[in-house]
Amino acid sequence: MSVVEENKALARRYYAELMSTGDLSFVDNYFAPEFEFTNPTHTEPYRGQEFKDLVTMLRGAFPDLKFTVEHMVAEGDTVVGHWTARGTHSGGPLKTLRGDLPAKGYQFAIDGVSWLRIVNGKFVEARINEETLGLLRQIGALPTPEPLPQPTTPEQNAVLVDRYFNEVLNGRNLSILAEITTEQVTHRIPTLSKDLKGREATEALIREVHAAFPDLQFEVERQVAEGNKVASRWYMSGTHTGAPFLGVPASGNPVKDQGVDLFIFSPEGKIAEIWTNEDSLGLLRQLGAFGS
């Protein structure tokens, strides 16, 4: 493995082990004594072991803090990570230049970029830009152009998921998507070469599935809702009498599929992400993709 790939792997561990789980031993093992962290919203940098104080404060304020790496670019000793941070201000106060901000229970999702320098397997520098204004607005510390939405409950989220299966997938009323999903909803399916970005892309996929299986029906077998997530285990049945599907011409075969959808909700209570995992191999076999 090249040094660049090693640095990228270590950077991913930085987000997963330190920032997302708060494992402070990561600082002991992988930070150089001269390490320096800077952020435009902090007047003074954090140096060396001081970075533990920042991580401890953030995770104390946001106990469910989670970083997701969206993109990563590396060259030489530098790794640039574009990430999304999500969490709920349900813990201690957030320490800022405006003073300590008490928790109000609001969820947030912000965008950021980290420039990380790694030399001989040790972090020596981190330069951070993040959507601090958006964070402060979402947690109720600054006024917003519109009233700050209250976090939706798991029960409310489950109702929207039910509408997705019953009204959109089974009822074929795609106009409902505008009510229950964000405009930039992301749909991730392993059989697709890339994620579907935006409501129109998800709508196009559903139209494609309906065109292939005109009598398509979904039945949710089990469902679990917690926080801003809902997991649904479902069964699908239909007959391949319409358009080609996954490169297979109309076979006329009846099919059954089983899968799971994980829905992640935005702070305003709409579906922002859909993660789908299904028995795609079994489905293709039923379509006759591998012969008799």
Side-chain angles (χ1 to χ4, degrees):
M1 182 183 297
S2 67
V3 173
V4 168
E5 291 302 319
E6 290 177 351
N7 288 346
K8 289 172 70 175
L10 189 58
R12 291 187 184 277
R13 292 183 60 190
Y14 163 87
Y15 295 109
E17 298 177 24
L18 178 60
M19 302 307 296
S20 293
T21 62
D23 183 359
L24 298 180
S25 67
F26 191 88
V27 176
D28 298 325
N29 295 329
Y30 298 106
F31 278 39
E34 68 273 21
F35 171 80
E36 185 177 87
F37 171 96
T38 61
N39 184 319
T41 59
H42 294 275
T43 55
E44 297 293 334
Y46 289 85
R47 295 185 173 91
Q49 295 290 308
E50 294 176 349
F51 191 65
K52 290 182 179 180
D53 298 333
L54 176 61
V55 174
T56 300
M57 185 274 291
L58 289 175
R59 298 205 59 80
F62 311 114
D64 59 347
L65 183 63
K66 176 73 173 180
F67 282 73
T68 301
V69 177
E70 306 292 350
H71 304 96
M72 187 170 281
V73 181
E75 180 180 348
D77 63 3
T78 301
V79 180
V80 180
H82 170 218
W83 44 262
T84 303
R86 297 179 175 86
T88 309
H89 195 194
S90 59
L94 177 67
K95 298 182 181 299
T96 73
L97 296 177
R98 294 169 53 89
D100 291 356
L101 303 178
K104 297 181 179 180
Y106 290 125
Q107 298 175 348
F108 76 90
I110 64 169
D111 184 84
V113 178
S114 301
W115 289 71
L116 306 172
R117 285 187 58 235
I118 304 172
V119 178
N120 296 324
K122 300 282 187 178
F123 290 87
V124 297
E125 183 182 74
R127 300 285 183 260
I128 311 299
N129 288 83
E130 64 184 5
E131 191 188 352
T132 307
L133 177 61
L135 170 65
L136 294 179
R137 282 178 169 170
Q138 291 176 59
I139 66 174
L142 289 176
T144 59
E146 298 179 0
L148 190 70
Q150 294 288 337
T152 51
T153 66
E155 292 76 16
Q156 290 171 323
N157 295 339
V159 169
L160 291 194
V161 169
D162 290 341
R163 294 188 67 190
Y164 173 79
F165 282 103
N166 295 327
E167 299 181 38
V168 177
L169 296 183
N170 290 342
R172 289 158 173 75
N173 187 354
L174 272 62
S175 65
I176 298 297
L177 288 173
E179 299 179 28
I180 66 175
T181 67
T182 64
E183 186 175 356
Q184 299 303 319
V185 60
T186 299
H187 199 158
R188 296 176 171 91
I189 304 176
T191 54
L192 300 181
S193 59
K194 60 182 180 179
D195 297 341
L196 300 176
K197 300 284 189 178
R199 188 184 295 142
E200 291 184 358
T202 292
E203 181 176 332
L205 173 67
I206 295 173
R207 290 187 187 279
E208 179 182 338
V209 175
H210 284 161
F213 306 97
D215 58 347
L216 181 75
Q217 287 292 300
F218 281 81
E219 179 182 354
V220 175
E221 177 203 22
R222 301 179 185 180
Q223 190 158 278
V224 175
E226 179 187 11
N228 68 331
K229 300 178 178 66
V230 177
S232 302
R233 177 180 168 88
W234 48 260
Y235 286 93
M236 180 272 278
S237 61
T239 312
H240 190 205
T241 57
F245 188 71
L246 295 178
V248 181
S251 62
N253 293 346
V255 298
K256 292 184 178 181
D257 189 18
Q258 187 276 315
V260 174
D261 281 355
L262 176 64
F263 300 86
I264 300 178
F265 283 76
S266 67
E268 64 268 24
K270 290 191 174 185
I271 298 170
E273 300 177 41
I274 307 173
W275 297 68
T276 296
N277 196 297
E278 61 183 327
D279 183 18
S280 52
L281 178 61
L283 179 59
L284 282 172
R285 281 177 171 164
Q286 294 174 70
L287 295 179
F290 307 115
S292 57

